[in-house]
Amino acid sequence: MEIAVWGHPFDEFAEGEDGPAEILERLTRLREAGVTTYFALLATAGMHYFASRTLGPAARELLRPLTEAALEVGIEIIPVVGLGQPGKLSRGLYEPPLEVADVPEWALSWPCAAWGENHEHAVLIANELIEDYGVSGLQLDYSRFPDAELLAKNPCACERCQNARLRWLGKPYPEPQDLRIPGVAFKELQMRMEFVRSLVESMRGLADHHGITLSVAVRGRYYEDALPEGQDWAEWCADGLVDEICTAPAVLSFGRFARYVSQHQRLTAGCEAKWLEGVGAEADAIHLDLDALERQSRFAASAGADGICVSRAGLIDEETAGVLRELAQL
């Protein structure tokens, strides 16, 4: 079974403890635990941790020592790119309707997928990562609109979304009673899916141009979250747009986990894309005990998953590493 991890290097390697020796030691321990891929989130809270002409000076350079250490120990470093981290080139953000005041702050800084300029921004950064660091792959994350629960009551009211609705709704913003009509709800989701797919197609073209793989981190709850947020990853797999999907950990209950894994099995059946099932050492601030982690991982393997992706690398201690070593033998 393939073992991948999602990592937050800026948290795992504190300033002053982020030298080549410390990074090499940590990646060595991960490789000994059976980890072969490290998906590196390198931008957060308006800061980035790699050299970029597009974004400007880095808060710290972490990608270079990561890639050098990874080459030595035999781990693949795959940078994470996407819409979810606004930068100086982001042009259009999610906007709630004017009369709504209870939208969470994080949503107001979410780059909207309806803006092609935001796609170009993500592609520029991705191209720099490929050309400047020689990475063998990219993982597309935050490739969606904000959370489904938020969108159910507050569809995006940015200029581009409003203009798009004029073509199929005849007005810029749906009223609550409109969204109760199946046809209107369908067209709203179709609009979001077309915008997000355009980003994926751009990334696919970039990956093909450079001959690298394209992974995508996706919402584990396909019908409840992914589709309302415009992330039709089952269609992306069927159409050959992505080389690999990593489902985000969604639940701690084994019964619900098993149900979603069975769903993922059906949705990826017959597709060439690899399927890594997301499991969490921690999810929503609730620690997942090792027995549950192992049980979920073994079930995913029995269902045909190519591997697991553990969230997060910084939570993997010696005891967890021992469990992962056993799972890597499956």
Side-chain angles (χ1 to χ4, degrees):
M1 166 180 268
E2 182 176 338
I3 309 291
V5 294
W6 279 297
H8 295 177
F10 43 84
D11 283 337
E12 293 169 46
F13 306 104
E15 195 163 0
E17 300 175 1
D18 54 359
E22 289 91 344
I23 291 176
L24 178 61
E25 179 184 2
R26 178 59 179 163
L27 291 189
T28 298
R29 291 203 302 270
L30 289 176
R31 185 66 190 92
E32 290 172 349
V35 173
T36 56
T37 304
Y38 181 107
F39 295 113
L41 181 67
L42 292 156
T44 185
M47 295 187 290
H48 61 283
Y49 298 85
F50 56 93
S52 172
R53 295 176 296 281
T54 300
L55 294 173
R60 283 185 286 149
E61 170 59 271
L62 291 176
L63 182 54
R64 185 71 64 192
L66 272 171
T67 55
E68 291 174 352
L71 185 62
E72 187 170 340
V73 303
I75 285 182
E76 192 173 21
I77 301 293
I78 305 294
V80 174
V81 296
L83 292 175
Q85 295 296 334
K88 63 182 180 181
L89 298 186
S90 296
R91 290 293 181 259
L93 305 178
Y94 163 83
E95 293 183 26
L98 292 177
E99 66 271 16
V100 174
D102 60 350
V103 169
E105 188 67 26
W106 62 261
L108 300 178
S109 61
W110 190 285
C112 179
W115 293 69
E117 293 92 331
N118 292 338
H119 299 194
E120 294 170 10
H121 178 207
V123 169
L124 277 172
I125 295 169
N127 192 62
E128 287 181 350
L129 290 169
I130 298 167
E131 294 187 343
D132 296 348
Y133 290 91
V135 296
S136 59
L138 296 170
Q139 182 171 81
L140 184 59
D141 200 355
Y142 303 102
S143 51
R144 56 186 177 86
F145 279 77
D147 292 1
E149 186 176 351
L150 168 70
L151 294 170
K153 294 182 179 179
N154 304 293
C156 184
C158 78
E159 176 188 345
R160 298 287 174 82
C161 285
Q162 291 196 55
N163 287 341
R165 290 191 191 97
L166 289 173
R167 298 194 297 270
W168 58 264
L169 186 62
K171 54 185 177 181
Y173 199 81
E175 298 175 58
Q177 61 269 26
D178 293 328
L179 292 175
R180 289 194 287 268
I181 301 172
V184 175
F186 165 77
K187 293 294 289 185
E188 175 72 22
L189 266 61
Q190 183 184 53
M191 177 189 78
R192 296 174 196 167
M193 287 187 280
E194 288 175 352
F195 284 137
V196 176
R197 183 184 172 101
S198 177
L199 169 65
V200 179
E201 289 175 342
S202 295
M203 287 293 181
R204 176 75 268 166
L206 181 67
D208 287 345
H209 176 71
H210 289 282
I212 66 170
T213 60
L214 180 62
S215 173
V216 58
V218 299
R219 301 283 265 172
R221 304 197 314 166
Y222 178 69
Y223 297 104
E224 298 91 334
D225 296 323
L227 290 181
E229 295 162 9
Q231 193 182 64
D232 192 353
W233 54 261
E235 183 177 90
W236 303 345
C237 288
D239 292 348
L241 286 179
V242 298
D243 300 307
E244 176 183 73
I245 63 160
C246 298
T247 59
V251 292
L252 295 177
S253 159
F254 181 76
R256 282 186 293 167
F257 176 83
R259 186 168 72 249
Y260 287 123
V261 166
S262 298
Q263 180 189 94
H264 302 160
Q265 179 192 52
R266 294 193 302 272
L267 292 173
T268 57
C271 298
E272 294 186 5
K274 286 202 302 185
W275 159 35
L276 302 185
E277 185 65 29
V279 294
E282 184 172 298
D284 297 328
I286 301 173
H287 192 71
L288 183 66
D289 67 75
L290 291 181
D291 287 342
L293 175 65
E294 182 175 5
R295 187 184 183 197
Q296 289 186 359
S297 300
R298 288 184 180 276
F299 182 83
S302 70
D306 295 291
I308 58 171
C309 192
V310 183
S311 177
R312 291 181 282 123
L315 299 171
I316 298 175
D317 54 20
E318 286 303 315
E319 192 175 7
T320 307
V323 172
L324 295 180
R325 274 192 290 272
E326 293 182 10
L327 292 172
Q329 303 306 312
L330 294 179

